[in-house]
Amino acid sequence: MRRSRGFAAALALSLAGTGAGAVLGLVPRAAAITPPVAFTADALSTWQPNGVVWALAEAGGTVFAGGTFSAVRPPDGSGGAEQSAVNFAALDAATGAPTSCHLSFTVGGGTATVRALTLSPDKQTLYAGGYFGAVNGTPVSSLAAIDVATCTVKTGFRPAFAATVRALAVTGDTVYAGGDFLTVAGQPRQRFAAVDAADGALRPFTADADEPGRAVEVTPDGQNVVLGGDFFTVNGTNTHALAVVDATSGALTKTYAGFIETNSVVKDIATDATGFYTANEGTGGGVFDGRIALNLSDFNQRWRDTCLGATQAVLPYQNVLYSASHAHDCSSVGEYPDGQRHHLLAQPTTGVGKLGWAPDTNDGIGEGIGPRVMTVGSRGGVQYLWVGGEFTTVNGSAQQSLTRFASTGDTGAPTVPVATAASFRPGEAQVRWRTSLDLDDSALTYRIYRNGSGTPIATVAADSLFFKRPQASWTDTTVAAGQSYTYRVTATDAAGNTSALSATASVTVPTSVDAYPDRVRADGAQLFWRYDDASLPNVADSSASGNQNGVHLNAPALRQTPGAVSGASTAIGFNGTDTRVYGDQRQTIGGSYTIETWFRTNTTRGGKLFGFGNNQVRGSSQYDKHIYMTNDGRLVYGVYTGATRTITTGAAYNDNQWHHVVATQGPGGMVLYVDGAQKGTLAVTTHENYAGYWHAGGDSLGAWPNPPTSEFWAGQLDETAVYPSVLSAAQVQNHYALATAPADSVVQVQAAEDTYANAGAPDGNYGGSSSLAVRGTSLYTSYLRFNLPAAPAGTVLKSASLSVKTSTMSGAGTADTVSVVPVTGAWTEAGTTYNNRPATGAAALGSFAGVPDGSAVHTTGLDTAALAGALGTSYGLALTSPGTDALWLWSSEAAANEGTPQLTLTFGAP
């Protein structure tokens, strides 16, 4: 019933950012929205009918709406009075307000309705079909012609349809109709007919169907008519729901027996220059609810979109197919699983992949279908996509039965990113966030701001869709060991709409490698959930690739302590009833993999700790590659090969202690480890092959051996990881040992004494000064004394660093390199002068490669072995420089030194 031609918009790939870890994303051209989408997702102010809109058409900037309603009212909150509108309204395409054209479609008995609207090729005549007996009092019979210019019924057009007309298409001289009727003008015409476009006289065209017709469309060359509906035969020949017939005679050109499921029907057909598209609705199980594209050259299928959810309308426009449905399950085409309904979608006319356009309605009144019809109107160079149906909300706001979206004026900003930061080794900090949601832009630009700066330190382009929001990440490689940093992230769309800043993500860069997470990353984890997140709903992925984040469901308990791994990492708590975490990325699992997690519980109801399933929010119908606990505390690792194949531990682990479990499968079969020790093997190398998501804390377990009372886990999890390879027994044991080793401890030691020597005052002592100075010529040398502690029992010194703070005087920084060397001679703060200054060693323990102006803390690493040999003693350091540019620092006596000069010592397991 609608035709559209246009040019395809190109999609480009880009990698942006100024650090490691930037992700690939679609980068938009200079447009308000991401091509090839032509409309924003921002609903415009539109008058509202008080019933259902079944039909839309447009001419000259006026949109005509037909349906089952009695009035239209202003948009909510805009004021104004309701106007009578009996099953028909004419509205300005640009303002959404009623025009002066008022027509009432009525019937003497029953309920009148307008079910189809279409324009003549010259757009001077509007044809309206439905069930009615008069228009503004002029007798008609379910099909009428309206003069667009005068908004009056054409009395010379007088076809007589004996029942409801549900679909219309028109050429220069013929109107084609589909519906419930069995006769037209007293002549047999079953469900489809053609009449003269001028006077309504019945044409010889005969395409009799055994069940109602719901859609009719003329091919662009005018030679054929495409029929859609409930039927199983046309002209006595088997062809279910779809047929192509000759435009003059109605004789069959193409039949489709067995092509569409028997419990599915065609609700709408639309055509462009390359093909035609069907909207399909099914009832019951095993239905086809999606969309089909067929070629005009041979009427054969080009593609089939098998999403479930009763498609009501399709509209091709500029090489994009817009659809109205309540699509709730697109897993069969590699997209989102069964769950939330999505009522408006877009995809290329060349395939099934969804584009970044997803405004939404609710199901609404009546049958609870949502949107039912679409058309494009134009005024002032702006295109408007109008949507009608039985919905009562649009994008979460009250709006009934009509809405519209423009080709310009994108005002909707992306959602605010939820950012976190982590650091596992000196010199690196990983900033990561779940990609934002923008209903008309799939390609977004993220800006990362550090330490409150108004200038971004990095920019990352990343792609996301409403059903696919992978984690994006960026690694800051300019951080200093021992320093703390804060990060905030914004998201910007193609129109420049920018989200608010994310909440602050803070991180302290370690002075030595954090052994456990560093080893998990080094061993190749592709998913690594540490559960250190401070807020819902995102679970950060700490793997090196950093894109397999998770999503909290029903608010698990965050930041539970103590965690499984020695140190500051926290755990997550699940209630055993409805809380869990699901992966945000749909994937398939190869023949080799490892799953690993730490757990603690005292439950006697069992539950699934971790596993793979084909759904996200709802329980999965396919599920294996999982670890679950029986009611008596034993662990089960299982896969499905047509039968359940499992390894079960002999011992129970519901003792409220932290335990480590690892399950592997590969060419050598299945292996289960607990607390670093192998607990069982099975010579099974295959598992069920399906696309799905990882789950922590619960998912389906029906029909598995020794099923627990609860499929949900009541307890804590920590350090969950998935690898695309088989970890060796040595790697598993190493992970267990690293996690249970004594935690690193950090000791900060402030200078016990500090002073400097000044060649310009050979006998001067500066022991009580608030400043320290360093220069080569004329010489300043600063001396620092630290009382070093002994290493804690069972640990060694792993790293050491020195922090100093530049003073607030102008030019306090230096362009010269400042070296940190050991003091080998005796000295005291109160007695040191230039003339009796102590001797120093020649080998530098560390250095500052220039220090910028401005009062700030600066840190350098020191030779660990040198300081390790001095532990438990009083140790002296000197700051020296070869140049003439002086460095000025706060001494330990200065009020503004903030604890500097200071040594930071990190102790840990040998």
Side-chain angles (χ1 to χ4, degrees), residues 747-770:
V747 179
Q748 292 177 327
V749 183
Q750 294 183 24
E753 293 186 279
D754 54 20
T755 188
Y756 72 98
N758 179 2
D763 294 320
N765 173 265
Y766 299 93
S769 173
S770 64

PDB file of all heavy atoms in Angstrom, residues 747-770:
ATOM      1  N   VAL A 747      53.020   0.008  53.057  1.00  0.00           N
ATOM      2  CA  VAL A 747      53.473   0.809  54.194  1.00  0.00           C
ATOM      3  C   VAL A 747      53.997   2.134  53.654  1.00  0.00           C
ATOM      4  O   VAL A 747      54.838   2.143  52.736  1.00  0.00           O
ATOM      5  CB  VAL A 747      54.570   0.095  55.001  1.00  0.00           C
ATOM      6  CG1 VAL A 747      55.041   0.975  56.153  1.00  0.00           C
ATOM      7  CG2 VAL A 747      54.064  -1.246  55.508  1.00  0.00           C
ATOM      8  N   GLN A 748      53.498   3.214  54.191  1.00  0.00           N
ATOM      9  CA  GLN A 748      53.964   4.541  53.787  1.00  0.00           C
ATOM     10  C   GLN A 748      54.795   5.128  54.925  1.00  0.00           C
ATOM     11  O   GLN A 748      54.347   5.182  56.081  1.00  0.00           O
ATOM     12  CB  GLN A 748      52.785   5.442  53.441  1.00  0.00           C
ATOM     13  CG  GLN A 748      52.065   4.969  52.173  1.00  0.00           C
ATOM     14  CD  GLN A 748      50.848   5.791  51.837  1.00  0.00           C
ATOM     15  OE1 GLN A 748      50.161   6.274  52.737  1.00  0.00           O
ATOM     16  NE2 GLN A 748      50.584   5.948  50.557  1.00  0.00           N
ATOM     17  N   VAL A 749      56.012   5.542  54.593  1.00  0.00           N
ATOM     18  CA  VAL A 749      56.962   6.028  55.584  1.00  0.00           C
ATOM     19  C   VAL A 749      57.312   7.476  55.251  1.00  0.00           C
ATOM     20  O   VAL A 749      57.840   7.758  54.169  1.00  0.00           O
ATOM     21  CB  VAL A 749      58.242   5.171  55.602  1.00  0.00           C
ATOM     22  CG1 VAL A 749      59.186   5.652  56.708  1.00  0.00           C
ATOM     23  CG2 VAL A 749      57.905   3.700  55.761  1.00  0.00           C
ATOM     24  N   GLN A 750      57.005   8.388  56.163  1.00  0.00           N
ATOM     25  CA  GLN A 750      57.358   9.784  55.953  1.00  0.00           C
ATOM     26  C   GLN A 750      58.787  10.042  56.417  1.00  0.00           C
ATOM     27  O   GLN A 750      59.334   9.337  57.279  1.00  0.00           O
ATOM     28  CB  GLN A 750      56.383  10.695  56.702  1.00  0.00           C
ATOM     29  CG  GLN A 750      54.964  10.616  56.156  1.00  0.00           C
ATOM     30  CD  GLN A 750      54.027  11.562  56.859  1.00  0.00           C
ATOM     31  OE1 GLN A 750      54.460  12.565  57.422  1.00  0.00           O
ATOM     32  NE2 GLN A 750      52.744  11.249  56.831  1.00  0.00           N
ATOM     33  N   ALA A 751      59.412  11.074  55.834  1.00  0.00           N
ATOM     34  CA  ALA A 751      60.795  11.410  56.164  1.00  0.00           C
ATOM     35  C   ALA A 751      60.924  11.756  57.650  1.00  0.00           C
ATOM     36  O   ALA A 751      60.175  12.582  58.177  1.00  0.00           O
ATOM     37  CB  ALA A 751      61.252  12.580  55.308  1.00  0.00           C
ATOM     38  N   ALA A 752      61.872  11.110  58.292  1.00  0.00           N
ATOM     39  CA  ALA A 752      62.144  11.427  59.699  1.00  0.00           C
ATOM     40  C   ALA A 752      62.971  12.698  59.814  1.00  0.00           C
ATOM     41  O   ALA A 752      62.851  13.456  60.784  1.00  0.00           O
ATOM     42  CB  ALA A 752      62.873  10.257  60.357  1.00  0.00           C
ATOM     43  N   GLU A 753      63.856  12.938  58.835  1.00  0.00           N
ATOM     44  CA  GLU A 753      64.659  14.149  58.774  1.00  0.00           C
ATOM     45  C   GLU A 753      64.798  14.553  57.310  1.00  0.00           C
ATOM     46  O   GLU A 753      64.836  13.680  56.421  1.00  0.00           O
ATOM     47  CB  GLU A 753      66.054  13.919  59.361  1.00  0.00           C
ATOM     48  CG  GLU A 753      66.109  13.648  60.849  1.00  0.00           C
ATOM     49  CD  GLU A 753      67.546  13.577  61.339  1.00  0.00           C
ATOM     50  OE1 GLU A 753      68.147  12.497  61.158  1.00  0.00           O
ATOM     51  OE2 GLU A 753      68.047  14.601  61.848  1.00  0.00           O
ATOM     52  N   ASP A 754      64.893  15.860  57.048  1.00  0.00           N
ATOM     53  CA  ASP A 754      65.206  16.322  55.706  1.00  0.00           C
ATOM     54  C   ASP A 754      65.797  17.725  55.767  1.00  0.00           C
ATOM     55  O   ASP A 754      65.467  18.529  56.647  1.00  0.00           O
ATOM     56  CB  ASP A 754      63.988  16.277  54.775  1.00  0.00           C
ATOM     57  CG  ASP A 754      62.776  17.002  55.306  1.00  0.00           C
ATOM     58  OD1 ASP A 754      62.908  17.862  56.204  1.00  0.00           O
ATOM     59  OD2 ASP A 754      61.667  16.718  54.831  1.00  0.00           O
ATOM     60  N   THR A 755      66.721  17.991  54.870  1.00  0.00           N
ATOM     61  CA  THR A 755      67.370  19.302  54.795  1.00  0.00           C
ATOM     62  C   THR A 755      68.020  19.415  53.428  1.00  0.00           C
ATOM     63  O   THR A 755      67.943  18.467  52.615  1.00  0.00           O
ATOM     64  CB  THR A 755      68.413  19.479  55.903  1.00  0.00           C
ATOM     65  OG1 THR A 755      68.883  20.831  55.891  1.00  0.00           O
ATOM     66  CG2 THR A 755      69.583  18.516  55.745  1.00  0.00           C
ATOM     67  N   TYR A 756      68.662  20.562  53.147  1.00  0.00           N
ATOM     68  CA  TYR A 756      69.418  20.667  51.918  1.00  0.00           C
ATOM     69  C   TYR A 756      70.671  21.486  52.154  1.00  0.00           C
ATOM     70  O   TYR A 756      70.761  22.280  53.103  1.00  0.00           O
ATOM     71  CB  TYR A 756      68.578  21.235  50.780  1.00  0.00           C
ATOM     72  CG  TYR A 756      68.226  22.711  50.849  1.00  0.00           C
ATOM     73  CD1 TYR A 756      68.974  23.659  50.142  1.00  0.00           C
ATOM     74  CD2 TYR A 756      67.123  23.165  51.577  1.00  0.00           C
ATOM     75  CE1 TYR A 756      68.638  25.014  50.171  1.00  0.00           C
ATOM     76  CE2 TYR A 756      66.774  24.499  51.608  1.00  0.00           C
ATOM     77  CZ  TYR A 756      67.533  25.425  50.905  1.00  0.00           C
ATOM     78  OH  TYR A 756      67.187  26.755  50.928  1.00  0.00           O
ATOM     79  N   ALA A 757      71.666  21.289  51.288  1.00  0.00           N
ATOM     80  CA  ALA A 757      72.931  22.037  51.331  1.00  0.00           C
ATOM     81  C   ALA A 757      72.941  23.064  50.219  1.00  0.00           C
ATOM     82  O   ALA A 757      72.497  22.773  49.093  1.00  0.00           O
ATOM     83  CB  ALA A 757      74.112  21.080  51.173  1.00  0.00           C
ATOM     84  N   ASN A 758      73.481  24.262  50.493  1.00  0.00           N
ATOM     85  CA  ASN A 758      73.456  25.391  49.567  1.00  0.00           C
ATOM     86  C   ASN A 758      74.882  25.890  49.387  1.00  0.00           C
ATOM     87  O   ASN A 758      75.508  26.406  50.335  1.00  0.00           O
ATOM     88  CB  ASN A 758      72.553  26.492  50.128  1.00  0.00           C
ATOM     89  CG  ASN A 758      72.496  27.725  49.245  1.00  0.00           C
ATOM     90  OD1 ASN A 758      73.112  27.767  48.174  1.00  0.00           O
ATOM     91  ND2 ASN A 758      71.759  28.733  49.699  1.00  0.00           N
ATOM     92  N   ALA A 759      75.429  25.756  48.190  1.00  0.00           N
ATOM     93  CA  ALA A 759      76.797  26.206  47.938  1.00  0.00           C
ATOM     94  C   ALA A 759      76.955  27.700  48.111  1.00  0.00           C
ATOM     95  O   ALA A 759      78.062  28.194  48.374  1.00  0.00           O
ATOM     96  CB  ALA A 759      77.230  25.797  46.525  1.00  0.00           C
ATOM     97  N   GLY A 760      75.831  28.441  47.965  1.00  0.00           N
ATOM     98  CA  GLY A 760      75.902  29.888  48.129  1.00  0.00           C
ATOM     99  C   GLY A 760      76.008  30.317  49.572  1.00  0.00           C
ATOM    100  O   GLY A 760      76.299  31.479  49.858  1.00  0.00           O
ATOM    101  N   ALA A 761      75.749  29.412  50.515  1.00  0.00           N
ATOM    102  CA  ALA A 761      75.870  29.705  51.952  1.00  0.00           C
ATOM    103  C   ALA A 761      76.531  28.503  52.581  1.00  0.00           C
ATOM    104  O   ALA A 761      75.873  27.646  53.187  1.00  0.00           O
ATOM    105  CB  ALA A 761      74.503  29.976  52.563  1.00  0.00           C
ATOM    106  N   PRO A 762      77.827  28.359  52.427  1.00  0.00           N
ATOM    107  CA  PRO A 762      78.538  27.121  52.797  1.00  0.00           C
ATOM    108  C   PRO A 762      78.334  26.693  54.236  1.00  0.00           C
ATOM    109  O   PRO A 762      78.366  25.488  54.533  1.00  0.00           O
ATOM    110  CB  PRO A 762      80.004  27.459  52.527  1.00  0.00           C
ATOM    111  CG  PRO A 762      79.958  28.557  51.522  1.00  0.00           C
ATOM    112  CD  PRO A 762      78.734  29.357  51.829  1.00  0.00           C
ATOM    113  N   ASP A 763      78.137  27.633  55.139  1.00  0.00           N
ATOM    114  CA  ASP A 763      77.958  27.273  56.548  1.00  0.00           C
ATOM    115  C   ASP A 763      76.490  27.276  56.981  1.00  0.00           C
ATOM    116  O   ASP A 763      76.191  27.074  58.156  1.00  0.00           O
ATOM    117  CB  ASP A 763      78.751  28.247  57.437  1.00  0.00           C
ATOM    118  CG  ASP A 763      80.257  28.114  57.222  1.00  0.00           C
ATOM    119  OD1 ASP A 763      80.711  26.962  57.069  1.00  0.00           O
ATOM    120  OD2 ASP A 763      80.926  29.155  57.189  1.00  0.00           O
ATOM    121  N   GLY A 764      75.583  27.525  56.030  1.00  0.00           N
ATOM    122  CA  GLY A 764      74.169  27.625  56.382  1.00  0.00           C
ATOM    123  C   GLY A 764      73.514  26.266  56.589  1.00  0.00           C
ATOM    124  O   GLY A 764      73.797  25.295  55.873  1.00  0.00           O
ATOM    125  N   ASN A 765      72.655  26.205  57.595  1.00  0.00           N
ATOM    126  CA  ASN A 765      71.893  24.977  57.863  1.00  0.00           C
ATOM    127  C   ASN A 765      70.414  25.272  57.631  1.00  0.00           C
ATOM    128  O   ASN A 765      69.883  26.267  58.109  1.00  0.00           O
ATOM    129  CB  ASN A 765      72.104  24.511  59.301  1.00  0.00           C
ATOM    130  CG  ASN A 765      71.185  23.336  59.642  1.00  0.00           C
ATOM    131  OD1 ASN A 765      70.119  23.550  60.198  1.00  0.00           O
ATOM    132  ND2 ASN A 765      71.606  22.120  59.304  1.00  0.00           N
ATOM    133  N   TYR A 766      69.747  24.373  56.881  1.00  0.00           N
ATOM    134  CA  TYR A 766      68.345  24.586  56.498  1.00  0.00           C
ATOM    135  C   TYR A 766      67.447  23.487  57.069  1.00  0.00           C
ATOM    136  O   TYR A 766      66.394  23.176  56.520  1.00  0.00           O
ATOM    137  CB  TYR A 766      68.225  24.638  54.972  1.00  0.00           C
ATOM    138  CG  TYR A 766      69.032  25.768  54.369  1.00  0.00           C
ATOM    139  CD1 TYR A 766      70.338  25.555  53.939  1.00  0.00           C
ATOM    140  CD2 TYR A 766      68.494  27.044  54.272  1.00  0.00           C
ATOM    141  CE1 TYR A 766      71.087  26.591  53.395  1.00  0.00           C
ATOM    142  CE2 TYR A 766      69.240  28.092  53.735  1.00  0.00           C
ATOM    143  CZ  TYR A 766      70.534  27.868  53.301  1.00  0.00           C
ATOM    144  OH  TYR A 766      71.277  28.901  52.773  1.00  0.00           O
ATOM    145  N   GLY A 767      67.856  22.905  58.158  1.00  0.00           N
ATOM    146  CA  GLY A 767      67.103  21.806  58.747  1.00  0.00           C
ATOM    147  C   GLY A 767      65.707  22.176  59.191  1.00  0.00           C
ATOM    148  O   GLY A 767      64.815  21.329  59.208  1.00  0.00           O
ATOM    149  N   GLY A 768      65.471  23.418  59.555  1.00  0.00           N
ATOM    150  CA  GLY A 768      64.131  23.817  59.985  1.00  0.00           C
ATOM    151  C   GLY A 768      63.317  24.475  58.900  1.00  0.00           C
ATOM    152  O   GLY A 768      62.202  24.946  59.147  1.00  0.00           O
ATOM    153  N   SER A 769      63.842  24.521  57.667  1.00  0.00           N
ATOM    154  CA  SER A 769      63.154  25.206  56.564  1.00  0.00           C
ATOM    155  C   SER A 769      61.941  24.411  56.091  1.00  0.00           C
ATOM    156  O   SER A 769      61.915  23.173  56.185  1.00  0.00           O
ATOM    157  CB  SER A 769      64.129  25.399  55.399  1.00  0.00           C
ATOM    158  OG  SER A 769      63.448  25.908  54.273  1.00  0.00           O
ATOM    159  N   SER A 770      60.970  25.118  55.570  1.00  0.00           N
ATOM    160  CA  SER A 770      59.796  24.455  54.991  1.00  0.00           C
ATOM    161  C   SER A 770      60.051  24.001  53.565  1.00  0.00           C
ATOM    162  O   SER A 770      59.180  23.377  52.955  1.00  0.00           O
ATOM    163  CB  SER A 770      58.584  25.395  55.016  1.00  0.00           C
ATOM    164  OG  SER A 770      58.830  26.529  54.194  1.00  0.00           O
TER     165      SER A 770
END
